[in-house]
Amino acid sequence: MRIVVTGTEGQVVRSLVERAARHSDIEIIALGRPGLDLAVPSTVGTAIAEAKPDIVVSAAAYTAVDQAEDEPDLAHAINALGAGAVARAAGDLGVPVIHLSTDYVFAGDGEAPYTETDATGPQGVYGRTKLEGEAAVIAANPRHIILRTAWVYSPFGKNFVKTMLRLAETRDQVSVVSDQWGNPTSAIDIADAIIETARRIDVEPSFTGYGIYHLAGTGNINWSGFARAIFASSRNNGGPFAEVADIASADYPTKAKRPFNSRLSTDKFFKVFGWRAPDWQVSTEATVSRLLAEAKGRDAS
């Protein structure tokens, strides 16, 4: 099975390449700029067609949440028009598309986990353009799986786990917001879920479960609690750690409004695909342990 994925440096893409290497029957083709540039939709169809996919994973996106407030046109071009172009290219080839979306499509109010049928209400440019991207994917290719996820981290790129470990190297205390809640989600787990989804679609030509799903780590926590878990894991593995001071979102203003509630219910995905992500603490421990081991390896060399 040849899986063509958009992007080459993102957390999910790099995780997908790594996890797929464990499967001899899966080939990953990662496409990025300049050959495939989501901001230039005319490049998308040719690049994907030349890769001859069995399934397309639409992972690349404009993810600079605050910067998007200043660059709405570029965010729209990539997250909406670009996403639609990817889905259309897959549809033209008669293959399905798995598109990654976000918790930011919701308003972020309440305390209950959002389900796929709950009303959307993005509060900023990033969320709005990702929601527009979902609509574009749906319109362009009936064989679509849209996976909304949240609070993504991994051993790759920039993310909250790596930032906390870096700050702990020079600080005794770190201030972290405590009034925003969500599901910390490992990109490694997302990659495993994508592989499971692609296999199901590939072996079941009559698959009828296309649509929108939520895919996130099992269990939820606030940001400050997440930070404490990261530091506890690091300390137990001989790494840096710091005390965490709870602060309110109002004490840490950002250009784009963050959702207070990013909890996502993953029951629908489990019901259809029989797969659920590990508890967020388990995946966090695995990521922290790996990052510390890799750091020690670099120091030793």
Side-chain angles (χ1 to χ4, degrees), residues 128-148:
R128 184 176 71 245
T129 58
K130 289 296 290 181
L131 184 60
E132 292 168 345
E134 290 185 7
V137 168
I138 292 169
N141 189 341
R143 298 176 70 194
H144 62 266
I145 298 288
I146 294 173
L147 300 177
R148 292 173 179 157

Side-chain angles (χ1 to χ4, degrees), residues 35-213:
L36 183 148
D37 187 344
L38 293 185
V40 185
S42 60
T43 67
V44 173
T46 299
I48 291 178
E50 290 178 349
K52 296 180 172 57
D54 295 308
I55 192 166
V56 174
V57 176
S58 177
Y62 183 110
T63 58
V65 176
D66 289 320
Q67 192 171 333
E69 298 297 313
D70 296 323
E71 297 180 330
D73 292 341
L74 181 58
H76 175 76
I78 294 173
N79 290 344
L81 301 181
V86 171
R88 191 174 307 108
D92 289 344
L93 297 172
V95 301
V97 61
I98 299 174
H99 175 71
L100 295 182
S101 191
T102 174
D103 58 296
Y104 276 70
V105 301
F106 294 111
D109 49 12
E111 296 182 0
Y114 282 103
T115 69
E116 291 81 357
T117 58
D118 284 330
T120 54
Q123 300 295 297
V125 171
Y126 170 67
R128 184 176 71 245
T129 58
K130 289 296 290 181
L131 184 60
E132 292 168 345
E134 290 185 7
V137 168
I138 292 169
N141 189 341
R143 298 176 70 194
H144 62 266
I145 298 288
I146 294 173
L147 300 177
R148 292 173 179 157
T149 190
W151 292 25
V152 179
Y153 65 90
S154 73
F156 312 113
K158 296 179 180 179
N159 56 71
F160 186 77
V161 172
K162 295 179 75 173
T163 296
M164 290 299 104
L165 293 177
R166 175 177 54 81
L167 292 177
E169 293 177 351
T170 58
R171 299 185 189 181
D172 295 326
Q173 185 179 85
V174 178
S175 297
V176 185
V177 297
S178 60
D179 54 2
Q180 298 174 22
W181 290 74
N183 311 84
T185 308
S186 166
I188 298 290
D189 295 336
I190 295 173
D192 286 343
I194 289 173
I195 290 171
E196 290 296 320
T197 304
R199 282 196 186 283
R200 173 72 176 278
I201 295 172
D202 188 57
V203 302
E204 191 176 316
S206 60
F207 178 75
T208 59
Y210 293 106
I212 297 175
Y213 294 87

Side-chain angles (χ1 to χ4, degrees), residues 3 17 32 77 110 119 136 151 194 203 205 224 251 273:
I3 300 176
V17 169
W151 292 25
I194 289 173
V203 302
S224 60
D251 297 324
F273 295 99

